[in-house]
Amino acid sequence: MDASAQRELYEIKTELRYIITEMRSISSGVRNDFSGIASERCAETINNVIEQYVYVQNRLNNIDTSAVTDEYAATHGSTSTAGGR
């Protein structure tokens, strides 16, 4: 994976981390600032989305960029890999 693709992956992971943090804050605010069953259901729905984002974040964090081949990178949008692997 070339440096440009690695930088883009890093930026995606950074943005996803920011979104998760913001969504946790929103969920907490809904739970603490509002009362009633609707607020609990809303917070739970937000938490379900957060869980899905965390799953994606974990998948992105587990990508072995050194294992991306030139052929795969060319097929999926990158021009070359760092080591030609």
Side-chain angles (χ1 to χ4, degrees), residues 10-58:
Y10 174 79
E11 290 170 0
I12 290 168
K13 292 189 310 188
T14 300
E15 183 69 17
L16 186 56
R17 188 169 38 253
Y18 172 77
I19 291 168
I20 291 168
T21 300
E22 286 297 309
M23 290 184 71
R24 284 182 174 147
S25 176
I26 292 167
S27 175
S28 177
V30 168
R31 282 188 195 278
N32 296 328
D33 298 340
F34 300 96
S35 62
I37 294 173
S39 65
E40 286 298 315
R41 293 183 80 190
C42 180
E44 285 303 317
T45 300
I46 294 169
N47 287 339
N48 289 338
V49 173
I50 292 169
E51 287 177 19
Q52 293 172 13
Y53 283 11
V54 168
Y55 172 79
V56 170
Q57 181 183 41
N58 289 336

